[in-house]
Amino acid sequence: MRHRSLLLVGIILAVNAGRLIAGPWGGLPDAVGRLQNDPGDRSAQAVLAEAESSVLREATNGRLAAVAVLMETYSSLVMQLEDGDERVRNLERRTAAALAAWGDGQLDSDPEAAATAWTLAAGYDAASPAILQLRRLILPPVEPDDGQKWRSPLDGAELVYQPPERVRIGCSVNDRRCRENEIFFRWIDLPGFWIEATEVTNERYGQCVDDGFCGLPQGGHGFGDRNNEQLPVVGIGWRQARDYARWVGRRLPSEAEWERAARGKETRWRFPWGNARRADLANVWDDTVAIDRGTLPVGTYPETGWGLLDMPGNVWEWCGDRYQVGFKELPADGSPMRSGIGRVVRGGSWRRDIDLARVSARSWFDEEYRADDLGFRCAVSRSSEVSDARLLSVAERAFALKSTPGQELAGVQLSAEDRRYLERRAVTWLMLERRAVEAVLQAALLLRRDPTDSVALDILEWVEGELVDAALAGDVESVEVLRSRYLRAVSSSPRFERRLRETEARVGEALRECGESMAREGDRVRAAACFELGLRIVPGDITIRRRLESLEPEAGDTRTSPKDGRVMVWMPPGSYRMGATEGDRQAALDELPAGNRVVKGFWIDRSEVTNADYRRCVDAGDCTAPTRTEAFDDPNRASYPVLWVTWYQARDYAEWAGKRLPSEAEWERAARAGSETRFPWGDRWENHRGNALDASGYDRWGAEAPVNSFPANSWGVHDLIGNAAEWVEDVYHSILAGGPLDGSPWEQETGPSDERRRVVRGGSFIDPPSRQRVSRRSGRKPTDSHRSTGFRCAAD
């Protein structure tokens, strides 16, 4: 309340001061007040007219940021009048006309400035001719020829027009290599559309990142290296691809559009070039070439169809559709399927063989999946189908006003009093809208002129409170950003040194409280983030340093998960040899080659998820019941591991519980518990240590046993060997070569077009001791469930 009172005092002072100011802006609040009492007040009318002239003068001179500031000030005040709406609309129309004319004059010398002026004009007046100028600039030709090419001025992409056609979506005629999800084809009447000639490159995606609209690719993969600018951008999730498409005014293609574009002029072929399996015409996997060949620059291979490049191979490409096994629900107009799982990908990649580069081949990934062989290209409907409203939303992103905070009024013809009023008003609204970062930059400008400026000092006090609140909430990113701006403001004068020390101490104390709170809740990651930032701000704080040092648990330490109430055990970070134990003659090929993995510390459930645990998720509506429920519904088996669940059901539970499935490397790290032998306890099977087939004399259950019925390993985890086999996160590969060395899940697929499977680990009550070895692994379709397979969760 005190901050709000201070703000109101600042506003009242500025308004009262306006009564003594000759300029239009400082006097505008008072003029509006007088017109509310007497609409015929001529002197007040003159103030409004002078303010309107000020706006039009800056529009004519092309000072776009100033126009936005002045127009916002005028509108917010004048709208209070009975005829305010009419006055504002009239000024907006006149301003739009001036901006459009200025933009027209800049087109040849500075197209971006012209487009920015047109965008501002169209925002003020939807009927402005500026919208036509934007349409010509941003959108492709209205009446294109078949296969016509057009280059976008926004990101430099070349787009190719695909004419309307009735096409068969799905397995090509006489294609004997089609998979189940391609066989039930469908005829679609597809309208004409434009699609990018190549996959989005690192160079083009970088423009969106620089503009602040797109996030960085995951894993880097050479992004930002000038030598890689023409490589397709990879490490991009579906939402990131969608964000880029929105930024540039396009969209992701539907899979019907993608397939139609890939088929080109001859719609019956298996590949864009014909029916032959020509691995030399696409960047695809070949077992005679090193796996790490990687992506190639876009356009490495010849054009196909109407002039497109790399539709087959190089990288998988995101589509707009959700995935279903068949095309029964595919809309007749070729628009994206809205129901299903994940998102469709098309085209194959450099990691997959030529059969997945067929035009009908399709797969899918979760929306958040990212990999070094997954990218995208964009599409757009014919220009006549894009509304003015959508066009303007694109223009507002592409040609947003760019100005240095506090410099919007640079060069504007204003009296000193008017300038002071507008600056104070702007900063007051920033505070009311809780835009702290921008407000503190404005405060810095005011303090450089006058270290005693009351409005600037009020801002500092408010920002200091925001810093403490963000620190208490554990929002370390906001603290870092806002603190850097705050330091810039107070460094303007040595008189603020004491204030800075006091503020730093308050923020450090808040971060200590945050860390202690997070630690009590078991969230060591966020606790560490709070303590680490606290030490950077107050490096001499011994209490924070000790709290940070006490966070790292030891192997076997436990915590209780807050959501599902299950006990979790800490697995320490370290390196170990994953895969077949040395000298193990029973090791299979998929346990080779063994090699070192460096795993970060993590938490893992002490036991397998039980029927009772899983039922809580089902009752909450976040999980579905197992495919067979006899044991699940038996109250006497509540403490038994839940079985008959698919990989997707296991993952749903993990998400509900705020956890995740362990990676395969983490699972084996936990199972070995520091050992290097075939079993966690040695090289010979011991019947009393695990629930396995033929464990005579010790297995009194006959099938699965209640969790924790057998001894824990040396790190305190039960039943990793035997009882129930367990789903883990990874996609199954037939060898271990090529997998991540950092313990993360191996989710990419390389090689022939076998159907994706997920890894199952640990053996079960139906497996003999030879299948209970810590390195044994198997794969199963993620949609399958089994009487011996359950899961447990992990967490960072």
Side-chain angles (χ1 to χ4, degrees):
M1 286 299 292
R2 182 169 186 271
H3 293 309
R4 186 170 295 273
S5 299
L6 289 170
L7 292 175
L8 293 174
V9 168
I11 294 172
I12 292 168
L13 287 173
V15 171
N16 289 337
R19 295 173 181 165
L20 304 175
I21 294 173
W25 295 106
L28 190 60
D30 180 62
V32 169
R34 285 187 283 132
L35 286 171
Q36 286 176 316
N37 295 322
D38 179 8
D41 188 316
R42 291 187 178 182
S43 63
Q45 295 277 12
V47 172
L48 266 64
E50 192 176 348
E52 291 165 2
S53 296
S54 177
V55 175
L56 293 170
R57 182 171 55 249
E58 302 313 321
T60 302
N61 292 330
R63 295 192 180 94
L64 307 183
V67 170
V69 170
L70 298 178
M71 181 62 82
E72 188 279 328
T73 302
Y74 179 90
S75 301
S76 62
L77 292 169
V78 173
M79 285 293 284
Q80 302 173 50
L81 298 176
E82 187 174 343
D83 62 345
D85 185 73
E86 181 181 350
R87 287 176 180 270
V88 170
R89 296 291 174 267
N90 182 53
L91 180 58
E92 286 180 335
R93 283 191 292 270
R94 294 160 64 198
T95 304
L99 289 169
W102 184 86
D104 292 346
Q106 298 295 310
L107 181 57
D108 293 334
S109 60
D110 192 345
E112 184 171 354
T116 305
W118 294 334
T119 302
L120 197 58
Y124 289 140
D125 181 10
S128 169
I131 199 73
L132 297 177
Q133 295 283 45
L134 289 171
R135 186 171 285 277
R136 294 188 191 101
L137 179 70
I138 294 175
L139 298 178
V142 177
E143 296 295 337
D145 297 326
D146 297 353
Q148 182 172 340
K149 296 182 179 180
W150 173 78
R151 190 169 297 279
S152 168
L154 298 183
D155 63 346
E158 183 176 74
L159 284 83
V160 184
Y161 182 66
Q162 309 297 303
E165 178 130 17
R166 180 173 173 79
V167 293
R168 167 176 160 151
I169 303 300
C171 187
S172 303
V173 177
N174 297 323
D175 187 349
R176 297 181 179 179
R177 293 183 179 269
C178 288
R179 301 166 75 179
E180 180 185 1
N181 65 359
E182 307 167 43
I183 291 174
F184 300 104
F185 63 86
R186 181 166 184 180
W187 287 95
I188 296 294
D189 291 310
L190 201 60
F193 64 98
W194 296 81
I195 191 167
E196 292 173 359
T198 71
E199 298 139 340
V200 174
T201 62
N202 284 320
E203 180 183 29
R204 286 168 52 203
Y205 190 81
Q207 297 174 41
C208 186
V209 172
D210 292 342
D211 209 34
F213 201 80
C214 293
L216 289 169
Q218 188 178 76
H221 304 298
F223 179 77
D225 185 336
R226 289 191 174 183
N227 295 321
N228 297 328
E229 285 184 344
Q230 294 310 306
L231 293 178
V233 65
V234 295
I236 296 295
W238 184 87
R239 288 186 175 87
Q240 285 177 293
R242 180 198 59 186
D243 288 346
Y244 177 90
R246 287 179 173 176
W247 171 75
V248 82
R250 299 176 205 137
R251 54 179 171 76
L252 296 179
S254 69
E255 67 167 324
E257 288 175 330
W258 192 99
E259 185 173 324
R260 187 266 178 276
R263 288 186 180 279
K265 301 175 184 179
E266 175 49 71
T267 60
R268 297 168 64 88
W269 286 343
R270 296 196 306 156
F271 299 95
W273 54 77
N275 285 321
R277 300 174 76 245
R278 294 283 303 277
D280 61 317
L281 293 179
N283 184 17
V284 293
W285 175 80
D286 183 341
D287 59 7
T288 65
V289 179
I291 286 177
D292 61 356
R293 175 171 63 182
T295 55
L296 295 176
V298 298
T300 297
Y301 294 89
E303 288 184 354
T304 59
W306 292 100
L308 301 178
L309 297 156
D310 302 316
M311 295 297 284
N314 215 18
V315 296
W316 287 106
E317 297 180 15
W318 287 113
C319 294
D321 307 58
R322 291 198 176 276
Y323 174 83
Q324 293 184 16
V325 172
F327 297 107
K328 182 179 179 181
E329 302 298 326
L330 188 68
D333 62 356
S335 57
M337 281 194 283
R338 302 299 180 188
S339 61
I341 56 175
R343 295 289 175 174
V344 171
V345 293
R346 288 292 199 120
S349 80
W350 65 271
R351 283 185 175 273
R352 307 311 306 275
D353 71 4
I354 189 67
D355 285 330
L356 285 179
R358 293 175 299 105
V359 291
S360 63
R362 54 200 296 263
S363 188
W364 69 276
F365 297 119
D366 289 327
E367 290 183 352
E368 298 304 318
Y369 178 72
R370 296 169 174 83
D372 65 1
D373 65 339
L374 175 59
F376 67 102
R377 75 179 75 209
C378 303
V380 67
S381 304
R382 293 181 59 162
S383 298
S384 58
E385 299 172 15
V386 179
S387 68
D388 287 350
R390 185 179 174 205
L391 175 69
L392 182 57
S393 71
V394 173
E396 287 173 341
R397 289 193 294 270
F399 304 113
L401 279 172
K402 295 183 175 71
S403 63
T404 304
Q407 298 297 319
E408 293 87 352
L409 300 176
V412 178
Q413 299 177 28
L414 294 170
S415 68
E417 293 84 355
D418 276 356
R419 186 177 299 277
R420 184 174 179 81
Y421 166 76
L422 288 167
E423 287 174 345
R424 285 178 172 233
R425 184 182 185 282
V427 80
T428 298
W429 280 109
L430 289 175
M431 293 173 69
L432 289 172
E433 294 172 1
R434 307 196 69 80
R435 292 157 60 186
V437 172
E438 296 170 77
V440 77
L441 290 177
Q442 293 275 16
L445 292 172
L446 296 175
L447 289 170
R448 276 198 286 271
R449 295 181 198 148
D450 179 6
T452 64
D453 188 296
S454 60
V455 172
L457 294 174
D458 288 346
I459 295 170
L460 288 186
E461 183 178 346
W462 174 64
V463 168
E464 289 159 0
E466 294 289 294
L467 274 169
V468 171
D469 290 346
L472 287 171
D475 188 355
V476 295
E477 183 176 348
S478 293
V479 172
E480 289 183 292
V481 172
L482 186 53
R483 176 173 171 263
S484 69
R485 305 299 193 273
Y486 176 81
L487 290 174
R488 189 185 307 179
V490 298
S491 63
S492 60
S493 172
R495 65 182 291 153
F496 296 120
E497 289 181 2
R498 179 178 177 183
R499 182 170 191 151
L500 173 61
R501 289 195 302 272
E502 292 175 349
T503 300
E504 300 273 64
R506 288 173 60 202
V507 174
E509 178 68 16
L511 287 167
R512 181 187 62 75
E513 292 182 28
C514 157
E516 291 173 345
S517 174
M518 298 296 176
R520 285 193 296 272
E521 294 176 8
D523 192 340
R524 294 173 186 252
V525 174
R526 293 184 66 192
C530 289
F531 288 144
E532 287 168 358
L533 180 57
L535 279 180
R536 289 204 298 273
I537 294 174
V538 281
D541 193 310
I542 298 175
T543 301
I544 296 179
R545 186 174 301 280
R546 287 175 178 171
R547 295 287 192 275
L548 179 61
E549 292 171 352
S550 69
L551 278 181
E552 187 66 31
E554 297 181 356
D557 283 356
T558 62
R559 76 174 191 187
T560 300
S561 180
K563 185 64 178 286
D564 61 359
R566 308 198 73 242
V567 176
M568 304 190 79
V569 185
W570 176 252
M571 301 292 102
S575 173
Y576 80 100
R577 187 175 184 271
M578 179 181 174
T581 302
E582 192 170 356
D584 186 354
R585 296 182 179 180
Q586 293 181 313
L589 288 176
D590 67 354
E591 301 170 39
L592 299 169
N596 284 345
R597 300 290 188 272
V598 179
V599 180
K600 297 178 181 178
F602 63 99
W603 297 92
I604 195 165
D605 287 345
R606 184 165 62 183
S607 66
E608 296 145 338
V609 172
T610 66
N611 286 316
D613 298 325
Y614 192 80
R615 181 169 292 282
R616 286 196 290 274
C617 184
V618 172
D619 291 344
D622 292 283
C623 293
T624 55
T627 55
R628 294 184 61 171
T629 60
E630 292 88 345
F632 179 67
D633 290 334
D634 185 349
N636 295 320
R637 307 187 85 171
S639 62
Y640 287 60
V642 64
L643 305 173
W644 293 107
V645 288
T646 67
W647 180 87
Y648 295 110
Q649 289 176 304
R651 187 188 59 174
D652 287 345
Y653 176 93
E655 290 179 354
W656 168 78
K659 306 177 190 177
R660 56 178 174 79
L661 294 179
S663 71
E664 185 175 12
E666 288 175 332
W667 188 96
E668 186 170 325
R669 166 75 166 164
R672 287 189 177 278
S675 70
E676 298 180 357
T677 50
R678 297 171 71 224
F679 305 101
W681 53 83
D683 286 321
R684 292 181 177 275
W685 175 259
E686 297 178 11
N687 281 343
H688 72 284
R689 291 189 179 273
N691 185 11
L693 185 67
D694 296 331
S696 56
Y698 295 94
D699 186 357
R700 58 187 177 86
W701 290 277
E704 75 273 25
V707 299
N708 301 334
S709 294
F710 290 80
N713 66 19
S714 61
W715 285 351
V717 188
H718 293 264
D719 300 322
L720 283 162
I721 300 301
N723 207 26
E726 300 176 12
W727 290 111
V728 295
E729 181 68 26
D730 303 54
V731 168
Y732 176 80
H733 293 74
S734 58
I735 59 172
L736 294 179
L741 302 180
D742 62 356
S744 59
W746 191 3
E747 296 195 280
Q748 289 178 279
E749 298 171 274
T750 302
S753 55
D754 296 328
E755 188 167 357
R756 184 188 307 144
R757 292 180 287 168
R758 295 283 176 172
V759 175
V760 175
R761 281 297 209 126
S764 73
F765 62 89
I766 66 170
D767 293 312
S770 63
R771 297 186 178 183
Q772 307 285 353
R773 296 170 298 103
V774 288
S775 61
R776 183 181 176 271
R777 50 199 300 272
S778 61
R780 186 170 293 147
K781 291 182 182 180
T783 52
D784 286 353
S785 60
H786 195 269
R787 68 188 179 102
S788 66
T789 305
F791 67 98
R792 75 179 73 217
C793 301
D796 297 314

